[in-house]
Amino acid sequence: MDRIALRGALGALASNHLWTWQYRTSDLFSALPTAHVDLHPVQAVKALDDAQLDALLDDGDFVSAVASQVAALDQTMETAVVSPDIAYFSPEFGISEVVPQYSGGLGILAGDHLKSASDLGTSLAGVGLFYRHGFFRQYIEDGQQAEHIGTYDPTDFGCVDTGIVVEVPIADRLVSAKVWRFAVGRVPLLLLDTDLPVNSAEDRAITDRLYSGDQLHRLEQELVLGVGGARAVTAMGWKPGVYHSNEGHAGFLALTLLDQARAPGGATTLARAVELVKPRVLFTTHTPVPAGIDRFPRSLVDPHLRPWCEAWGDSIDALAALGEDPHDGTEVFNMAAFCLHVASRANGVSKLHGEVSRGLFAMVPGGSAITSVTNGVHARTWVSPCLQDLFDTRLGDGWDRGVETAWSNIDGVSADAITECRAVTRAPLAELLADRADITLDPDALVIGFARRFATYKRANLLLRHPDALAALLADDDRPVHFVFAGKAHPADVPGKSLLADIVAYGHTPAANQRFSFLPDYDIAVARAMYFGCDVWLNNPVRPREASGTSGEKAALNGVLNCSILDGWWAEMSDGRNGWDIPTSDAVVDDVRDDDESASTLALLVEIAAEFHADGRGHPSAAWVDRMRHNWRTLGPLVTAARMVADYERTLYGPMLATQHR
Ligand SMILES: *Cc1c(COP(=O)(O)O)cnc(C)c1O
């Protein structure tokens, strides 16, 4: 290999995000002299100078590792998706911490969906937006969340220009959106970007940031995502049989499909067009909280719907009626209701959430037929390298796809092998705590993690309701525990921010005993460090508001035991021994319920600490390691995104494709 060939090989590896779940490839990038934690490998490779390339060329092991990984990538790409059967639309995709195009669970789930589809060879492509300013980064100033906004260039993430520009009707004007192509293994992801010179300054800013701005900005983003995304799919020459809207934000994709159905010679009425579109539309709802659903006032949405109605010769009320949920009255356009009206199938993201959604949308056509596919997580993205090696050698093929017989081999894995990994994988968390929280982690501590968005229903501050019990737990030197919190509050969420400030402040009190820490700037990297380094994963939302939750699934795959309210995924997967259930209070007054559940959680944590330290301070007891094995044996087959994507194929994609003559 010469310099040009090495740069080319590294560039090829960097621009296909297969490296985000192949740690041997990402290790190569970490070894580059230009590597930096915030830098995408594409940029690190670009920054290499000739002398640095020469030094790398002198390292025979490095060069042969690069060559063999390029060969493996080429082989994978022989079966790349060329013309997808399924177009998966999402407002955010969480692929890597160095691609800051996600805010939280919805995006991480979408990223894991694409990665598993790539692994399984599913004929699927993603469709989303490219946000020039991504999502904010968090730091703490005077005990409060402060926000930093970066600026990103798509080519720095390996995005390739497709040469396609689509036009999106927005009110009475046409906005142009460029279509970038981003590679996630075999799966292509199209990202639309309105930051083009042909657009006005306001329109260039439509795709500026994820979830910011006012309702109009949000509506315009959703029009670009849905209408523009579906036009981009057509412009690519793709003819997917399934348009999957991950949450209602992408629901306007149906406007493009309806428009295609109303073309000359096609459907003569709106009702008929809806019937033609329905077999191809799948809607996944992600929240049982009405405030989490996009509901636009008719006065805001009508000017955007009117041009379509005029072109089709339909009344605005007929189209707007498709976005009606009788709960909201007639003056609201509800995106979830719209999706239900235009989709032939809809699902929630856990069994409990499916049930709650059937109730929530009972008054909308199709609402009572909502099924469920429980969310899962992409194993090779989220399991520590140490455990991946252990599982590869001891469990055998298929553990990462949730194969039950592979996971049953966990019983033969020794306690020593398990605890050795635990010691190795704790190091990154201890480093983060030292760097960002100025805390030295006691190696003997049972580490309890809590990382999620600071949405109020997730109740990050639940334990603070009983300060004496909490202080006693934190003061116990025989059975030391250490709490680690992380998470961002939406910039406009005042109660969420105040909750975050309470957690930060408590950590500095004497009662916290240096054992209650907040780690700033929660992202994929912080999340991984926490799954790799914690012992217990705490989840105490108000039941049943956590549609699924996935952080606990990522924890479980790393042997971190869940202590959780019976909500979301945990409600169906807990067996009473693979973690701990926090009893749900039946008090009708919110304050009383929170007091009760706070007390039960603290009492449970005392028992948990006792079980961990039962065979001596600071070392997981035999009973604990047994519980870890039981956790893996029972949850390994259930929590992977491979299981999830296979469920989508079997129960939704497959049957939908089968109804079509294509
Ligand atoms: C997994 C994950 C989430 C979602 O966690 P929940 O349990 O669903 O709240 C959010 N952010 C990051 C960075 C994650 O890795």
Side-chain angles (χ1 to χ4, degrees):
M1 241 188 252
D2 61 11
R3 280 182 205 147
I4 291 174
L6 180 61
R7 192 190 288 282
L10 285 170
L13 287 173
S15 53
N16 187 314
H17 295 80
L18 196 60
W19 65 263
T20 61
W21 70 98
Q22 299 203 339
Y23 75 83
R24 286 179 184 84
T25 315
S26 60
D27 281 354
L28 290 180
F29 298 133
S30 310
L32 297 179
T34 48
H36 182 275
V37 286
D38 289 334
L39 211 57
H40 191 286
V42 162
Q43 292 164 272
V45 172
K46 260 189 216 158
L48 290 168
D49 64 26
D50 286 351
Q52 289 168 327
L53 281 167
D54 288 339
L56 291 170
L57 283 166
D58 284 342
D59 180 346
D61 290 344
F62 182 85
V63 173
S64 63
V66 170
S68 72
Q69 288 179 32
V70 168
L73 174 64
D74 288 345
Q75 199 189 348
T76 300
M77 293 308 282
E78 279 171 18
T79 48
V81 175
V82 179
S83 181
D85 288 338
I86 300 130
Y88 179 91
F89 286 64
S90 177
E92 48 170 317
F93 287 91
I95 308 284
S96 159
E97 64 271 23
V98 294
V99 186
Q101 299 286 314
Y102 63 95
S103 92
L106 185 73
I108 304 285
L109 181 82
D112 282 7
H113 198 100
L114 301 192
K115 292 174 183 182
S116 294
S118 171
D119 290 342
L120 297 176
T122 308
S123 178
L124 180 143
V127 182
L129 298 178
F130 185 84
Y131 303 95
R132 290 274 168 170
H133 300 290
F135 193 60
F136 76 93
R137 297 193 60 172
Q138 175 196 60
Y139 59 100
I140 302 297
E141 198 170 63
D142 301 330
Q144 308 278 339
Q145 169 172 298
E147 293 128 23
H148 169 79
I149 311 284
T151 300
Y152 310 102
D153 183 326
T155 59
D156 285 342
F157 303 122
C159 285
V160 175
D161 186 353
T162 58
I164 294 172
V165 174
V166 292
E167 286 185 328
V168 185
I170 293 195
D172 48 8
R173 60 195 198 276
L174 284 177
V175 173
S176 295
K178 187 179 185 71
V179 182
W180 298 96
R181 184 186 173 116
F182 179 97
V184 186
R186 297 180 172 97
V187 166
L189 168 59
L190 303 181
L191 296 172
L192 278 73
D193 173 9
T194 63
D195 188 12
L196 298 178
V198 295
N199 290 330
S200 69
E202 289 79 26
D203 289 342
R204 292 182 78 150
I206 291 176
T207 54
D208 59 352
R209 293 183 205 173
L210 188 49
Y211 306 142
S212 72
D214 55 14
Q215 269 200 314
L216 176 62
H217 188 244
R218 180 71 167 253
L219 176 65
E220 291 173 341
Q221 285 192 335
E222 296 191 4
L223 286 162
V224 174
L225 173 61
V227 174
R231 287 187 170 182
V233 163
T234 302
M236 290 292 292
W238 297 345
K239 293 190 173 60
V242 177
Y243 286 76
H244 184 175
S245 185
N246 185 41
E247 191 51 299
H249 309 308
F252 288 131
L253 65 86
L255 289 176
T256 294
L257 299 185
L258 290 170
D259 193 48
Q260 290 165 357
R262 290 303 297 271
T268 49
T269 63
L270 180 60
R272 178 68 193 133
V274 170
E275 290 314 310
L276 289 176
V277 163
K278 270 186 151 193
R280 281 176 290 154
V281 180
L282 166 63
F283 169 48
T284 300
T285 170
H286 283 268
T287 177
V289 185
I293 296 169
D294 285 314
R295 275 125 90 232
F296 297 114
R298 282 281 306 270
S299 57
L300 187 73
V301 82
D302 279 9
H304 297 87
L305 298 182
R306 198 163 283 120
W308 301 92
C309 298
E310 281 166 5
W312 304 337
D314 291 309
S315 79
I316 182 85
D317 287 340
L319 182 55
L322 296 175
E324 216 172 285
D325 180 336
H327 288 114
D328 301 327
T330 52
E331 286 310 301
V332 171
F333 190 88
N334 177 316
M335 289 302 286
F338 181 57
C339 288
L340 285 166
H341 274 99
V342 297
S344 55
R345 305 204 183 217
N347 69 292
V349 290
S350 69
K351 289 188 177 131
L352 178 59
H353 178 234
E355 193 182 309
V356 171
S357 299
R358 286 190 287 279
L360 191 66
F361 296 114
M363 291 162 77
V364 181
S368 51
I370 294 172
T371 61
S372 68
V373 173
T374 305
N375 286 345
V377 299
H378 186 257
R380 297 234 182 234
T381 297
W382 298 108
V383 174
S384 71
C386 186
L387 283 174
Q388 287 192 43
D389 287 349
L390 183 66
F391 294 163
D392 283 339
T393 51
R394 302 302 307 273
L395 305 188
D397 202 32
W399 66 267
D400 53 344
R401 280 179 280 119
V403 173
E404 205 165 338
T405 48
W407 281 106
S408 67
N409 292 329
I410 195 73
D411 290 337
V413 179
S414 72
D416 283 350
I418 292 169
T419 52
E420 271 166 33
C421 256
R422 176 181 171 273
V424 171
T425 60
R426 169 151 300 178
L429 179 62
E431 275 169 39
L432 274 179
L433 282 168
D435 288 354
R436 296 192 190 176
D438 199 22
I439 286 287
T440 311
L441 184 61
D442 176 352
D444 286 351
L446 167 83
V447 181
I448 303 166
F450 182 106
R452 41 183 55 87
R453 273 185 309 122
F454 271 68
T456 43
Y457 79 86
K458 297 189 186 236
R459 297 188 299 188
N461 60 349
L462 190 70
L463 301 181
L464 306 188
R465 290 184 159 257
H466 293 287
D468 294 344
L470 177 58
L473 181 64
L474 291 165
D476 189 341
D477 286 327
D478 297 326
R479 289 171 290 266
V481 302
H482 193 118
F483 287 93
V484 182
F485 286 82
K488 293 174 174 176
H490 186 280
D493 180 3
V494 175
K497 282 178 150 176
S498 121
L499 213 139
L500 192 150
D502 290 347
I503 294 294
V504 173
Y506 184 83
H508 298 303
T509 60
N513 197 20
Q514 307 258 311
R515 289 175 178 168
F516 190 101
S517 311
F518 181 82
L519 263 183
D521 204 19
Y522 180 45
D523 67 356
I524 288 176
V526 169
R528 277 157 46 102
M530 288 183 68
Y531 308 134
F532 297 179
C534 289
D535 296 300
V536 173
W537 199 252
L538 182 62
N539 179 41
N540 49 32
V542 177
R543 181 184 151 107
R545 293 193 209 164
E546 193 63 84
S548 168
T550 51
S551 59
E553 297 184 319
K554 297 177 244 174
L557 284 181
N558 283 285
V560 182
L561 300 173
N562 280 274
C563 172
S564 174
I565 292 276
L566 280 165
D567 201 5
W569 75 279
W570 186 244
E572 69 197 71
M573 295 187 196
S574 164
D575 71 354
R577 221 170 81 67
N578 50 14
W580 295 271
D581 304 337
I582 300 169
T584 311
S585 161
D586 47 25
V588 283
V589 177
D590 289 359
D591 246 352
V592 179
R593 174 201 63 202
D594 290 354
D595 277 342
D596 287 354
E597 293 180 359
S598 170
S600 324
T601 308
L602 283 159
L604 196 51
L605 290 173
V606 170
E607 280 175 41
I608 290 171
E611 182 172 323
F612 178 85
H613 294 287
D615 300 347
R617 184 187 197 272
H619 195 75
S621 64
W624 190 273
V625 177
D626 274 345
R627 214 189 261 272
M628 288 173 78
R629 289 199 195 91
H630 184 69
N631 153 79
W632 276 315
R633 190 181 341 96
T634 57
L635 298 177
L638 302 177
V639 301
T640 66
R643 187 274 307 148
M644 170 181 73
V645 172
D647 282 353
Y648 273 102
E649 294 201 86
R650 188 171 45 80
T651 66
L652 295 162
Y653 298 155
M656 287 176 75
L657 292 170
T659 62
Q660 298 169 38
H661 307 284
R662 292 180 327 121

